[in-house]
Amino acid sequence: MLVDSFGRVATDLRVSLTDRCNLRCAYCMPPEGLDWLPKPELLTADEIVRLVAIGVERLGVTEVRYTGGEPLLRRELVEIVAATARLSPRPQVSLTTNGIGLARLAAPLAEAGLDRVNVSLDTLDRDVFVRLAHRDRLPDVLDGLAAAVRAGLTPVKINSVLMRGVNEHEAVPLLRFSLEHGYELRFIEQMPLDAQHGWRREDMITADEILGLLNGSFDLVEDEPGRRGSAPAELFLVDGGPARVGVIGSVTRPFCGACDRVRLTADGQIRNCLFATEESDLRAALRSGASDDDLAARWIAAVGGKKPGHGIDDPSFLQPSRPMSAIGG
Ligand code: SAM
Ligand code: SF4
């Protein structure tokens, strides 16, 4: 098992399939994009499946989430999902995507064994979308969401990040839209993970503020208080339920003590935390002929050194040198 020195067990593996993206969300990437990883440094589909299989079949991983960058840009995505769903014991297989291209891919992905999808949507206003993501692609995202429902990838979840002065006025419309369509909405506090290092605490819309914005229009009651477990979202029943909304206070209400996640970057590095400053290079080991036992041992050691928390509030906090898009959000 992947146990750290504080007794937390990592069972939720997040795999970045590419650091590339077709959007430029302001909280993630600069408008001009980034220097993408050179192709030879990316894990091949076979390498990804081999490492995921080690995680699932030897190390107790029970959920595999593919992310990025934008995972729908990875050509072999359907094959990677299919191979993951064939592992034994079969893990839950999910995807976090900006939704562009999902209209075409939702059905083949569901057929390949994808269980669930999270689609990122921060605004319902086309102009705000262009301002926030620097591309005019809102209709593609909305088509992708609808296709996910048709393909049975339900409940479809929406991730929203609110930015002060940009889309904070959309908290209520985003929840109304989600309720109308049966999507499960989660607001995520903006974290210091942008490539530009532009995050400022004062600009962050906190979980308290998000709840304040929603409370004016909805009756929110915490769902199963105290039962958050390792789930980052605090869930609230909306107007008596059964619909719920989640708030992920990654910064102001950290859930590090119950964290069950471990990450594999697109270039084959194990990261035991989004905010880790060290990585463990499985790609080099894999390409120099390491056995599955050896790779598993390296992975166990990488998780063993996980810190107790992200320390964003510590004066000594250092933002990781890799941005979210390269780590795998
Ligand atoms: N491109 C895909 C997408 O946008 O869903 C997958 C990768 S993206 C890095 C994963 C999630 O991280 C998205 O929901 C995005 O909104 C979120 N995210 C990116 N940068 C963030 C930040 N600085 N703080 C909080 N969430 C962030
Ligand atoms: Fe791309 Fe996702 Fe980052 Fe937006 S949050 S720029 S969609 S990787």
Coordinates of all heavy atoms in Angstrom, one line a residue, residues 27-28 67-71 96-98 120 159 161 188-191 193 324 329, ligand 1:
Y27 N -6.2 31.6 -14.2 CA -5.7 31.1 -12.9 C -4.7 29.9 -13.1 O -4.2 29.3 -12.2 CB -6.8 30.6 -12.0 CG -7.9 29.8 -12.7 CD1 -7.6 28.5 -13.0 CD2 -9.1 30.3 -13.0 CE1 -8.6 27.7 -13.6 CE2 -10.1 29.5 -13.7 CZ -9.8 28.2 -14.0 OH -10.7 27.5 -14.6
C28 N -4.5 29.6 -14.4 CA -3.7 28.4 -14.7 C -2.5 28.7 -15.6 O -1.4 28.3 -15.3 CB -4.6 27.3 -15.3 SG -3.8 25.7 -15.7
T67 N -6.2 13.5 -16.3 CA -6.4 14.9 -16.3 C -5.2 15.5 -17.1 O -4.6 14.8 -17.9 CB -6.4 15.5 -14.8 OG1 -6.5 16.9 -14.8 CG2 -5.3 15.0 -13.9
G68 N -4.9 16.8 -16.9 CA -3.8 17.4 -17.6 C -3.5 18.8 -17.0 O -3.7 19.0 -15.9
G69 N -3.1 19.7 -17.9 CA -3.4 19.9 -19.3 C -4.8 19.4 -19.6 O -5.6 19.2 -18.8
E70 N -5.0 19.4 -20.9 CA -6.3 18.9 -21.4 C -6.2 17.5 -21.9 O -5.7 17.2 -22.9 CB -6.8 19.9 -22.5 CG -8.2 19.5 -23.0 CD -9.2 19.0 -21.9 OE1 -9.4 19.7 -20.9 OE2 -9.7 17.9 -22.1
P71 N -6.8 16.5 -21.1 CA -6.6 15.1 -21.4 C -7.3 14.7 -22.8 O -6.9 13.8 -23.4 CB -7.3 14.4 -20.2 CG -8.1 15.4 -19.6 CD -7.5 16.7 -19.8
T96 N -11.0 14.6 -15.7 CA -11.3 16.0 -15.5 C -10.9 16.7 -16.8 O -9.7 16.6 -17.3 CB -10.4 16.6 -14.3 OG1 -10.8 15.9 -13.2 CG2 -10.7 18.0 -14.1
T97 N -11.8 17.5 -17.4 CA -11.6 18.0 -18.7 C -12.3 19.4 -18.8 O -13.2 19.7 -18.1 CB -12.2 17.1 -19.8 OG1 -12.2 17.8 -21.0 CG2 -13.7 16.7 -19.4
N98 N -11.8 20.2 -19.8 CA -12.5 21.5 -20.0 C -13.7 21.3 -20.9 O -14.4 22.2 -21.3 CB -11.5 22.5 -20.6 CG -10.9 22.2 -21.9 OD1 -11.5 21.4 -22.7 ND2 -9.7 22.7 -22.2
S120 N -14.8 21.5 -16.4 CA -14.6 22.8 -15.8 C -15.4 23.8 -16.5 O -15.3 23.9 -17.8 CB -13.1 23.1 -15.8 OG -12.4 22.1 -15.2
N159 N -16.7 21.8 -12.3 CA -15.7 22.5 -11.4 C -15.7 24.0 -11.8 O -15.5 24.3 -13.0 CB -14.3 22.0 -11.6 CG -14.1 20.6 -11.2 OD1 -14.9 19.9 -10.6 ND2 -12.9 20.1 -11.5
V161 N -14.0 27.8 -10.8 CA -13.1 28.7 -10.0 C -13.6 30.1 -10.1 O -13.8 30.5 -11.3 CB -11.7 28.6 -10.5 CG1 -10.7 29.5 -9.7 CG2 -11.1 27.1 -10.3
I188 N -14.2 25.7 -6.5 CA -12.9 25.4 -6.0 C -12.2 26.8 -5.7 O -12.2 27.6 -6.6 CB -12.0 24.7 -7.0 CG1 -12.8 23.4 -7.5 CG2 -10.7 24.3 -6.4 CD1 -12.0 22.7 -8.6
E189 N -11.7 26.9 -4.5 CA -10.9 28.1 -4.2 C -9.7 28.2 -5.1 O -9.0 27.1 -5.3 CB -10.4 28.1 -2.7 CG -11.4 28.6 -1.7 CD -10.8 28.6 -0.3 OE1 -9.7 28.0 -0.1 OE2 -11.5 29.1 0.6
Q190 N -9.3 29.3 -5.6 CA -8.2 29.5 -6.4 C -6.9 29.3 -5.6 O -6.7 29.9 -4.6 CB -8.2 30.9 -7.1 CG -7.1 31.0 -8.1 CD -7.0 32.4 -8.7 OE1 -7.9 33.2 -8.4 NE2 -5.9 32.7 -9.4
M191 N -6.1 28.4 -6.2 CA -4.8 28.0 -5.4 C -3.6 28.7 -6.1 O -3.7 29.0 -7.3 CB -4.6 26.5 -5.4 CG -5.7 25.8 -4.6 SD -5.5 24.0 -4.7 CE -6.3 23.6 -6.2
L193 N -1.2 28.1 -8.0 CA -0.6 27.1 -8.9 C -0.5 27.6 -10.4 O -0.3 26.8 -11.3 CB -1.5 25.8 -8.9 CG -1.3 24.9 -7.6 CD1 -2.4 23.9 -7.5 CD2 0.1 24.3 -7.6
M324 N 0.0 24.0 -12.4 CA -1.1 23.0 -12.3 C -1.2 22.2 -13.6 O -1.4 21.0 -13.6 CB -2.4 23.7 -12.0 CG -3.6 22.9 -11.9 SD -3.7 22.2 -10.3 CE -5.4 22.5 -9.8
G329 N -4.1 18.5 -12.6 CA -5.0 19.1 -11.6 C -6.1 18.1 -11.1 O -6.2 17.1 -11.7
Ligands
SAM1 N1 -7.9 21.0 -18.5 C1 -8.7 20.2 -17.6 C2 -9.7 21.1 -16.9 O1 -9.6 22.3 -17.0 O2 -10.6 20.6 -16.3 C3 -8.0 19.4 -16.6 C4 -6.8 20.1 -16.0 S1 -7.2 21.5 -14.9 C5 -5.5 21.9 -14.3 C6 -8.0 20.6 -13.6 C7 -8.8 21.5 -12.7 O3 -7.9 22.4 -12.0 C8 -9.8 22.4 -13.4 O4 -11.1 22.2 -12.8 C9 -9.3 23.8 -13.1 O5 -10.4 24.7 -13.0 C10 -8.6 23.6 -11.8 N2 -7.5 24.6 -11.6 C11 -6.5 25.0 -12.5 N3 -5.8 26.0 -11.9 C12 -6.3 26.2 -10.7 C13 -5.9 27.0 -9.6 N4 -4.9 27.9 -9.7 N5 -6.6 27.0 -8.5 C14 -7.7 26.1 -8.4 N6 -8.1 25.3 -9.3 C15 -7.4 25.3 -10.5

